[in-house]
Amino acid sequence: MKNKFYFKENEPLDTLVNYLVSFKNLEAILLDGELGAGKTTLTAAIAKKLGEEKTIVSPTFNTMLCYDKLVHIDAYKLKGDLFAYEEYFENKLVVIEWSKNITNNFRNFIAINVTLETIDNEIYHVFEITKKTINKSLFIETSLEDFFVAIIENNEVTDYIIKEKLVKKTDLFFSVINEVLAKNNLLIEYFDSIYTTKGPGSFTGSRLGFTFASTNWMLHNHILNNHLKIFLTPTYDLYFYQLKTNKIYIKANKYKAYEVSKENEKISINLTDEIEKINHFDYQLFIQDTKGYLSLFKESKDALEEELIYASDPQIGGL
């Protein structure tokens, strides 16, 4: 996700507002910057997006104003912490102007510095995200029997779709991803990272998730100037973590399975006919321990250098 947003005078702040309210676990937005640069304007736009019916006004003389969906604090003349105000925060988004004047106990917050900048003789309101303790990730698993897509905030699955025993994932891949994004009012550029596996498993499925992740990585980082990370791991790492065993069987196709063994951190993979031994991955356990599973993944610094794990040379056609 990019960290700087530019808006002309009186231009709607929709791109930034939609991003901010997309977080389900966001506790606070901390605003600092120049006087008159747009802190209260942003607060009003956020409140409107949340469905707040009352008019948002600056709380300069009141210090704190409470609304149905939002708490608005002006900390310009405050010092110390917000302990005396915290009882009003429950189940509401807290927006604090001049937040650097005080300390806070928020775990999930986004800090934004607001300034005015002149570009080509036009004045722009610039909103720069300077610190963020909440992140949004998209998890995609297409290598295995089931097709699983999840939205994750700070190691917690907030929504997901699973299509069990889906043979041809190509038929539903984009429609399922679009469904979960639309359901949560999300765009792909809202995400900080994409997690997916490298195989082995379904030949076509392994390529689907990886290609989607790597294509978006290149598009956002090299064209759209949005910083998007991708995290990868072999499919068998998920099984070893879940099953606590040193030998697993992953479905390759209707007739074959991959026998994967782990001994002293060394991995051996063999193709076998023993499809009756195929292990099934339990996504409910993944949801219950998302942090543990995500710890298996490593960030890819260059998607173009990554290789999928086919475990056997794919044969298409013949002589």
Side-chain angles (χ1 to χ4, degrees):
M1 183 64 197
K2 64 182 180 181
N3 62 356
K4 263 190 177 182
F5 297 78
Y6 292 81
F7 301 96
K8 294 181 181 179
E9 190 71 31
N10 297 320
E11 181 182 356
L13 308 180
D14 292 349
T15 53
L16 175 56
V17 171
N18 290 340
Y19 169 67
L20 294 174
V21 302
S22 72
F23 287 95
K24 293 187 176 182
N25 297 312
L26 182 63
E27 296 174 272
I29 298 172
L30 310 181
L31 302 177
D32 288 282
E34 299 176 23
L35 185 67
K39 294 185 288 294
T40 302
T41 301
L42 175 60
T43 305
I46 292 170
K48 183 178 179 181
K49 187 67 178 182
L50 292 174
E52 181 61 58
E53 296 181 354
K54 297 177 182 177
T55 302
I56 302 299
V57 296
S58 176
T60 301
F61 300 105
N62 303 83
T63 304
M64 181 178 73
L65 292 174
C66 293
Y67 301 90
D68 294 334
K69 307 290 181 65
L70 178 142
V71 174
H72 190 190
I73 295 176
D74 187 315
Y76 187 77
K77 296 181 179 180
L78 295 180
K79 292 182 180 180
D81 58 38
L82 295 174
F83 179 77
Y85 300 88
E86 290 178 355
E87 62 182 292
Y88 299 96
F89 296 172
E90 191 170 355
N91 299 321
K92 293 184 180 182
L93 178 64
V94 181
V95 180
I96 304 175
E97 298 187 30
W98 310 104
S99 70
K100 290 184 179 179
N101 291 343
I102 48 90
T103 58
N104 66 78
N105 295 315
F106 299 117
R107 288 176 297 176
N108 297 330
F109 67 84
I110 296 176
I112 301 175
N113 192 60
V114 190
T115 57
L116 295 172
E117 189 173 329
T118 301
I119 304 174
D120 296 331
N121 297 318
E122 287 196 84
I123 297 177
Y124 284 79
H125 297 264
V126 183
F127 299 83
E128 181 180 7
I129 296 175
T130 56
K131 186 174 182 180
K132 187 170 63 166
T133 62
I134 186 169
N135 293 284
K136 194 185 302 292
S137 301
L138 184 65
F139 184 95
I140 302 172
E141 174 48 63
T142 54
S143 298
L144 306 179
E145 285 186 287
D146 304 328
F147 178 21
F148 180 77
V149 179
I151 296 169
I152 300 171
E153 285 187 15
N154 284 15
N155 299 318
E156 177 186 339
V157 173
T158 59
D159 198 9
Y160 69 93
I161 293 178
I162 183 169
K163 299 291 183 180
E164 296 181 351
K165 296 184 178 179
L166 185 63
V167 177
K168 294 184 67 177
K169 299 181 180 69
T170 50
D171 294 344
L172 293 179
F173 183 80
F174 287 105
S175 62
V176 169
I177 290 180
N178 289 337
E179 180 183 345
V180 74
L181 294 183
K183 181 181 175 184
N184 291 274
N185 297 312
L186 296 175
L187 300 175
I188 194 67
E189 53 261 38
Y190 291 177
F191 289 90
D192 299 284
S193 54
I194 299 177
Y195 287 77
T196 193
T197 53
K198 300 192 296 183
S202 162
F203 170 61
T204 304
S206 298
R207 289 185 298 164
L208 269 176
F210 174 77
T211 301
F212 179 84
S214 57
T215 299
N216 276 284
W217 176 83
M218 289 186 287
L219 175 66
H220 286 267
N221 285 284
H222 299 284
I223 298 177
L224 299 179
N225 198 31
N226 294 339
H227 185 52
L228 177 71
K229 299 178 181 180
I230 62 172
F231 291 84
L232 305 170
T233 197
T235 313
Y236 49 71
D237 277 351
L238 302 180
Y239 278 100
F240 287 133
Y241 183 84
Q242 184 170 106
L243 299 177
K244 313 300 182 189
T245 182
N246 60 2
K247 180 181 288 186
I248 52 123
Y249 292 83
I250 300 174
K251 183 177 181 180
N253 55 42
K254 184 177 180 180
Y255 307 103
K256 299 286 185 178
Y258 293 114
E259 180 189 84
V260 186
S261 299
K262 182 179 181 180
E263 185 174 354
N264 297 324
E265 301 304 317
K266 183 179 180 180
I267 301 295
S268 61
I269 305 175
N270 297 295
L271 205 58
T272 176
D273 295 329
E274 298 178 285
I275 58 173
E276 73 280 355
K277 293 185 178 180
I278 290 173
N279 297 110
H280 299 282
F281 190 75
D282 189 337
Y283 287 100
Q284 292 304 316
L285 294 178
F286 172 91
I287 293 169
Q288 295 168 20
D289 182 24
T290 305
K291 183 178 181 180
Y293 286 95
L294 294 188
S295 69
L296 306 173
F297 289 74
K298 294 182 179 180
E299 182 183 356
S300 171
K301 299 298 184 180
D302 188 351
L304 298 178
E305 296 295 323
E306 298 289 345
E307 293 185 3
L308 294 176
I309 303 173
Y310 290 123
S312 62
D313 294 329
Q315 302 291 323
I316 301 176
L319 298 176

